[in-house]
Amino acid sequence: MLQGLSDLGQAYLSFLNPMTLLYGLGGAFVGIVMGILPGLSATLAIALLTTLTIKLSPNDAILVLICSYVGALYGGSRTAILLNIPGTAANAASCADGHALALKGQAGRAIGIATSGAFVSTLIGVVCLALFTPMLAEVALKFGAFEFFWLALFGVTMSGSIVGSDPIKGWLMGLLGLLLAQVGQESLYAYDRFTFGWDELSGGIGLIPALVGAFGLAEVLTTLADPIERKIADLKDSVLPRWREVIQYRWTVLRSGIIGVATGLLPGVGEDAGAWMSYASAKALSKNKEEFGKGSIDGLMAAETGDMSSIPGHIIPSLALGIPGSAPSAVLMAAMIIHGVQPGPMLMIDNPQFIYHVVAMTTLASVTILLFGLFGVRPLLQVLKIRRGILMPIVFVLCTVGAFATASRLFDVYVMLAIGIGAFFLRRRGYEMAPLVLGLVLGHLLDKSLRRGLVLSDGSLLPFITRPICIVFAVVTVFTILMYVPAFKAAVKAAVAAVGNRLATLLGRKAGA
């Protein structure tokens, strides 16, 4: 315990220098701008900044990415309040009450509430991040090649629910990512697979060209194909938060912060789930339910607290298990790998101090959004006046430069273009790209673990289904898939209801006795 506190203190001290603070402010600024612009997202912000930070040290680069992650979700509340358009999917729950307040001439007050809720809830998540990540990582140290195989397979299974409402499409994209991960030389004997005689493919599909194509170029094409123009609500009142309101709704903040972290711990449950569950909880427990959707301070506070606290919640399984829980955290995990940090159970052995560095990074991110939220709102809103016909070509240039700069290969630009164009058409058919990236990231681990396990067991599959941790992962993986079968899901609900009724009957009899 004392050693952990010492490591945490050293991590905070290591970030108290002007250059590092500047990186944090810059990352948060870019993230907020991306969040403010409707159609752009935290996922795109992380993907683009991964290419621009490739020459930085791992700690500085990942600090920029985490600050942009937090900043993008925070910035998305601006358009939710002023335009009734969620900047990111996680801000959808803020639209009803946030925009209702803006229509009443209280847009500044709504932004102040969102700022205070985002700051406090991120700190709640930081505390959980510091407490739970080392504990979960200690358990994961017992993993071997057999357990890693099931861990990777479980992660790909989560692609069915990581985004969207159609699990089949999610699994198909996850499997496509697995297939792309097999391109190039395999890990044991360096034999070329699926290269079709192209020497450029021997090294496999690069993560950065894939990320930039799937999220950057596809977003540019999607935005240009479906432009949306909305009128901005006036911002006349002060944006400084009323701290008495924060104190008044302290239980809402605490409850929603815990709900956000809890939903973040569940792989496949995005930030929007944390926001909606917190909003529903606040409405259920409120004495003024009729105000929700009409400008409720309680509702807006719950929504913003729930989505922001889920960010540290998603980072916990990403670091400890190597399983991201949302689209932005999947891209963040891929960026960590690119920068030489391997998330997963071995992190506590190879680089245990890094966990505490991430805690310090997330704390710094929460402070930066507070500063921008208090003093930079009006200048940042000028970004909304930029025409998309001007902005999107700039983003496209950044995508091209980012894909080329990492390895100085023109072939990577072609990969980015091919994946981006393909992603554009797939997205228009309802297929999301986060499962593709998840499959691409976990595909190498799955392939390597399967082959190593077979070597260790002399070709036997028994260890994959007889070791205790493997059994747990196998059962959970199969159960997760079956839960998307309507008949099985209905049977599970009926069984749970029957057990609940039986327990209620037994408890009633005991109380009567």
Side-chain angles (χ1 to χ4, degrees):
M1 182 66 178
L2 292 177
Q3 181 61 43
L5 291 175
S6 175
D7 292 339
L8 183 60
Q10 292 176 9
Y12 278 113
L13 290 175
S14 68
F15 286 97
L16 294 180
N17 64 79
M19 202 64 199
T20 301
L21 295 176
L22 187 62
Y23 282 138
L25 288 170
F29 176 79
V30 173
I32 292 172
V33 170
M34 299 288 269
I36 286 176
L37 292 169
L40 304 187
S41 63
T43 309
L44 175 60
I46 298 171
L48 285 179
L49 286 176
T50 299
T51 66
L52 299 178
T53 58
I54 198 68
K55 300 298 182 182
L56 295 179
S57 66
N59 277 351
D60 288 339
I62 295 170
L63 169 64
V64 172
L65 300 179
I66 289 178
C67 286
S68 69
Y69 184 4
V70 175
L73 259 69
Y74 169 71
S77 65
R78 299 295 170 271
T79 51
I81 292 169
L82 297 175
L83 298 177
N84 202 28
I85 303 173
T88 68
N91 302 115
S94 304
C95 284
D97 293 297
H99 192 61
L101 285 169
L103 293 177
K104 294 177 181 178
Q106 302 180 43
R109 183 188 183 193
I111 289 176
I113 292 166
T115 300
S116 57
F119 172 68
V120 176
S121 63
T122 307
L123 292 183
I124 293 174
V126 165
V127 173
C128 297
L129 178 64
L131 291 175
F132 297 146
T133 306
M135 296 166 55
L136 190 59
E138 288 288 345
V139 174
L141 286 176
K142 300 178 181 180
F143 286 21
F146 308 102
E147 288 78 12
F148 277 125
F149 166 78
W150 281 108
L151 182 64
L153 186 61
F154 175 66
V156 176
T157 303
M158 286 295 100
S159 63
S161 59
I162 195 171
V163 285
S165 58
D166 191 341
I168 300 298
K169 290 182 176 180
W171 288 328
L172 287 174
M173 295 307 295
L175 290 174
L176 180 59
L178 283 179
L179 179 61
L180 290 177
Q182 309 312 307
V183 174
Q185 294 180 343
E186 51 84 28
S187 57
L188 294 185
Y189 303 105
Y191 185 81
D192 284 351
R193 300 182 301 189
F194 305 108
T195 59
F196 305 103
W198 289 10
D199 294 336
E200 293 88 347
L201 285 175
S202 295
I205 301 294
L207 266 179
I208 286 184
L211 287 176
V212 173
F215 295 106
L217 180 57
E219 194 68 60
V220 169
L221 297 175
T222 302
T223 302
L224 292 177
D226 300 307
I228 301 175
E229 299 294 340
R230 296 288 183 92
K231 183 180 178 181
I232 305 174
D234 292 331
L235 185 61
K236 297 178 180 179
D237 55 333
S238 173
V239 299
L240 293 177
R242 303 177 183 181
W243 294 107
R244 60 181 177 80
E245 290 183 337
V246 180
I247 297 173
Q248 179 183 352
Y249 295 105
R250 60 190 181 279
W251 297 117
T252 297
V253 172
L254 181 60
R255 180 180 63 250
S256 301
I258 294 173
I259 291 174
V261 173
T263 55
L265 289 171
L266 300 173
V269 180
E271 294 88 358
D272 52 338
W276 284 114
M277 290 180 68
S278 299
Y279 186 84
S281 174
K283 185 175 182 179
L285 297 175
S286 175
K287 297 178 180 178
N288 303 304
K289 296 181 177 62
E290 68 281 354
E291 294 182 3
F292 279 69
K294 300 177 182 179
S296 169
I297 302 297
D298 198 5
L300 179 59
M301 184 75 80
E304 280 302 304
T305 306
D307 68 353
M308 295 301 296
S309 62
S310 67
I311 297 175
H314 286 308
I315 294 176
I316 293 172
S318 298
L319 288 177
L321 299 176
I323 299 180
S326 65
S329 61
V331 180
L332 178 63
M333 193 179 82
M336 290 180 181
I337 295 172
I338 290 169
H339 286 290
V341 177
Q342 181 62 57
M346 294 302 295
L347 187 62
M348 281 298 293
I349 293 179
D350 299 334
N351 194 2
Q353 183 65 24
F354 180 73
I355 292 175
Y356 299 104
H357 282 155
V358 172
V359 173
M361 293 172 191
T362 313
T363 305
L364 179 57
S366 67
V367 174
T368 57
I369 63 171
L370 179 64
L371 294 175
F372 281 118
L374 295 180
F375 306 111
V377 172
R378 298 180 191 275
L380 282 169
L381 291 180
Q382 299 302 312
V383 174
L384 285 171
K385 298 181 180 180
I386 301 176
R387 292 173 53 195
R388 294 190 173 196
I390 297 174
L391 181 65
M392 290 301 112
I394 296 174
V395 175
F396 173 71
V397 171
L398 291 174
C399 291
T400 305
V401 172
F404 178 79
T406 52
S408 300
R409 294 196 314 167
L410 189 60
F411 179 76
D412 287 337
V413 178
Y414 297 148
V415 171
M416 183 272 292
L417 291 172
I419 292 179
I421 294 172
F424 167 69
F425 288 106
L426 286 169
R427 285 178 60 172
R428 294 182 73 84
R429 294 292 183 182
Y431 293 88
E432 297 289 345
M433 291 302 107
L436 173 73
V437 174
L438 187 58
L440 187 60
V441 170
L442 295 178
H444 298 288
L445 175 63
L446 187 147
D447 176 57
K448 182 171 61 177
S449 300
L450 175 62
R451 294 162 65 82
R452 284 182 177 177
L454 290 174
V455 169
L456 290 172
S457 64
D458 292 328
S460 174
L461 292 174
L462 285 178
F464 287 96
I465 55 176
T466 56
R467 293 163 67 98
I469 297 178
C470 291
I471 294 174
V472 173
F473 270 115
V475 170
V476 172
T477 301
V478 173
F479 183 80
T480 300
I481 295 173
L482 290 176
M483 280 300 292
Y484 291 103
V485 178
F488 183 82
K489 186 175 182 179
V492 171
K493 286 185 176 180
V496 171
V499 172
N501 292 334
R502 181 61 177 168
L503 288 175
T505 302
L506 291 175
L507 291 174
R509 289 176 180 175
K510 288 183 179 180

